Amino acid sequence: MRTLLVLGAALLSLGGAPAPGAPAPPLPALMADTGGGSQLITAEAADRGATTGTLTWWDRRGGRWVKAGSAHARFGANGLVEGARRRQGTSTTPTGLFRLPYAFGVRVRPAGTRFRYDRVTERSWWCQDNDSRAYNRWVEGLPRDCRAGEAEHLVSYGTRYAHALVIGFNYDRPVRGRGAGIFLHVNGRGATAGCVSVPAGAMRAVLPWADPARRPHIAVGTRSGPTAIRNY
């Protein structure tokens, strides 16, 4: 009887495995959650210590996820960390599944962009001051309770913020000290301070592709381990 049970379990296991030579399922099909929409961006690194990886944007068509495009991506200088455990100022990219509140840029909105797009001005700042009521928010004109040394003057980032999408990490109900100003933006010279960055051409492709009506999210994670992108 024991032999039969073991044999049956083995047959069931083989039945659930992909056939030899069959294409691997698309990454979103392996994930625990994709946000409920029909568009998804994945930013995947090899492991938590990696500073580079791949950004892929996906469409769900006819019940299946189809790759719409991909690009080389960069992550934080100190790798990636579970979003709920991240600390501000650690130059780590938070992992998890996040919504995309809106887009912004130093340069004009790319043709076809459907997301809300805020144009950066000389008065545009992103407050990262833990003592400010504007913590983790865009402000036009720096509030008195947000120190300039604890904020990003967005226009000063030039080509890096030519075009960007706000990643909704620690955004809806900000936890002080967890981190602020996490974006998907254009590459700088190297690894980021915690954002995800891609070549300029990729940002110009993603913005017209992303449709708020299709509820796109971004999933950030690794290939395996506790921060595996499949867990989100």
Side-chain angles (χ1 to χ4, degrees):
M1 178 64 74
R2 180 178 175 81
T3 301
L4 290 174
L5 288 172
V6 172
L7 179 59
L11 290 172
L12 286 172
S13 175
L14 289 172
L27 181 56
L30 302 174
M31 292 173 56
D33 187 9
T34 57
S38 59
Q39 287 187 328
L40 179 70
I41 300 172
T42 56
E44 188 178 41
D47 53 54
R48 285 182 292 177
T51 60
T52 62
T54 303
L55 187 92
T56 308
W57 46 107
W58 307 82
D59 288 304
R60 188 164 178 81
R61 302 172 184 164
R64 299 187 64 184
W65 287 101
V66 179
K67 182 188 295 187
S70 66
H72 181 76
R74 293 174 179 169
F75 301 102
N78 289 321
L80 299 89
V81 68
E82 172 61 45
R85 299 175 57 191
R86 185 181 187 269
R87 301 302 300 170
Q88 187 163 321
T90 55
S91 292
T92 53
T93 296
T95 64
L97 178 69
F98 310 107
R99 70 184 189 91
L100 300 162
Y102 61 93
F104 69 91
V106 171
R107 296 183 181 170
V108 297
R109 171 199 305 256
T113 299
R114 286 164 285 192
F115 258 83
R116 165 188 157 190
Y117 188 90
D118 290 353
R119 186 78 184 274
V120 173
T121 74
E122 289 288 343
R123 300 185 69 251
S124 303
W125 296 77
W126 195 277
C127 182
Q128 299 180 352
D129 191 329
N130 283 284
D131 296 326
S132 175
R133 289 173 293 177
Y135 179 68
N136 203 19
R137 287 293 185 272
W138 171 305
V139 290
E140 281 295 306
L142 203 60
R144 286 187 176 184
D145 69 348
C146 185
R147 294 166 289 172
E150 297 293 329
E152 289 188 356
H153 191 202
L154 298 179
V155 73
S156 69
Y157 285 76
T159 56
R160 281 174 288 174
Y161 290 172
H163 306 296
L165 270 167
V166 176
I167 295 176
F169 166 72
N170 201 32
Y171 187 81
D172 293 326
R173 295 180 179 178
V175 175
R176 311 289 167 147
R178 184 163 290 170
I182 301 297
F183 312 129
L184 172 61
H185 65 77
V186 177
N187 283 339
R189 292 183 179 178
T192 73
C195 295
V196 179
S197 73
V198 292
M203 280 307 307
R204 290 194 299 269
V206 166
L207 284 176
W209 162 84
D211 183 354
R214 297 177 64 186
R215 295 184 293 160
H217 286 65
I218 184 168
V220 183
T222 55
R223 289 180 194 162
S224 60
T227 54
I229 204 166
R230 300 182 185 192
N231 296 339
Y232 299 115

